[in-house]
Amino acid sequence: MPEKPGKARFAATESGALVCEDGLVRPPWAAADPLLRDYYDTEWGMPVRDERGVFERISLEAFQAGLSWATILRKRPAFRTAFDGFDPDTVAGYGEEDVERLMGDASIVRNERKIRATVRNARAAVALRGAGGLVDLVWSFRPERTPAPARVEDIPTESPESAALAGALRRAGFSFTGPTTVFALMEAIGMVDTHLVDSHRRGTSGVWARS
């Protein structure tokens, strides 16, 4: 059957990754969609070590639960506007009027439990400042070694460290931060490098060597 017009064609590698038309190897999720490709090439897996940045990613990973990351990424500008740039101090001060405002904002994901969790998580992040802060807590669970997946199916979705960090966050008052969600956070902010070993992004974060 002839391929539909406009549909990209990619050659698969032994790892299950795809060689894109620019000759670079990317996982299937980042191969075709221009937005996801740019996110993969420039942002995903790069170190994030500021409070606002980590809080934003915790929040977006929570909103992603049950949805595709592409959906959240497309809505990220709207999320940033709705949540005042994910400034923890500002979000921590939200009240019922803000929850109602957010529930009426069709440009974001209108899930009341996730919205309320984001407000609680902001308050927890502010409270953590007296004990070293959110960034230090999260990064203290960086593992001694990072996965080195040779195939797509080898990429883990959680780890002992993500389970431990999820527990620590829960004890600190955070919610919607289970082991799988936390592992996705760890991938996103460079705490682990789960780029496939044949990916052009492997070892580019400066946190982990390529090998």
Side-chain angles (χ1 to χ4, degrees):
M1 178 181 294
E3 191 166 11
K4 294 180 181 180
K7 184 179 180 181
R9 297 179 62 183
F10 305 112
T13 69
E14 292 184 1
S15 71
L18 301 175
V19 181
C20 300
E21 70 275 5
D22 58 4
L24 298 178
V25 176
R26 299 179 178 90
W29 69 265
D33 186 307
L35 182 66
L36 289 173
R37 180 185 293 194
D38 182 67
Y39 173 70
Y40 178 79
D41 286 351
T42 64
E43 184 177 349
W44 189 69
M46 297 302 290
V48 177
R49 297 181 184 272
D50 65 287
E51 183 189 59
R52 184 184 299 212
V54 172
F55 173 64
E56 175 184 316
R57 284 156 179 80
I58 287 176
S59 302
L60 293 180
E61 293 292 349
F63 274 103
Q64 188 271 333
L67 302 171
S68 72
W69 180 244
T71 296
I72 300 303
L73 196 59
R74 288 191 176 90
K75 291 178 177 289
R76 182 165 64 169
F79 271 112
R80 286 174 169 171
T81 298
F83 282 93
D84 291 289
F86 288 102
D87 174 65
D89 290 295
T90 302
V91 178
Y94 282 2
E96 287 302 314
E97 290 184 0
D98 294 288
V99 173
E100 291 178 10
R101 168 181 61 83
L102 292 164
M103 284 297 296
D105 190 342
S107 66
I108 65 169
V109 175
R110 291 180 290 181
N111 181 301
E112 185 173 355
R113 291 181 62 225
K114 293 177 180 179
I115 288 170
R116 290 187 182 279
T118 303
V119 176
R120 288 195 302 272
N121 291 350
R123 293 168 182 167
V126 171
L128 274 173
R129 291 173 184 164
L134 176 62
V135 175
D136 285 353
L137 172 64
V138 169
W139 275 88
S140 71
F141 287 87
R142 174 190 165 188
E144 293 184 3
R145 296 182 179 181
T146 188
R151 300 174 299 172
V152 169
E153 55 266 34
D154 295 334
I155 300 174
T157 57
E158 58 181 79
S159 68
E161 291 82 10
S162 76
L165 175 53
L169 289 169
R170 185 170 58 252
R171 290 189 293 275
F174 288 78
S175 56
F176 274 94
T177 51
T180 301
T181 297
V182 168
F183 189 79
L185 168 73
M186 293 168 69
E187 292 178 293
I189 67 173
M191 287 176 62
V192 293
D193 185 347
T194 58
H195 292 290
L196 292 163
V197 293
D198 61 355
S199 167
H200 77 98
R201 284 294 322 282
R202 182 76 187 175
T204 59
S205 70
V207 177
W208 302 99
R210 183 175 180 84
S211 57

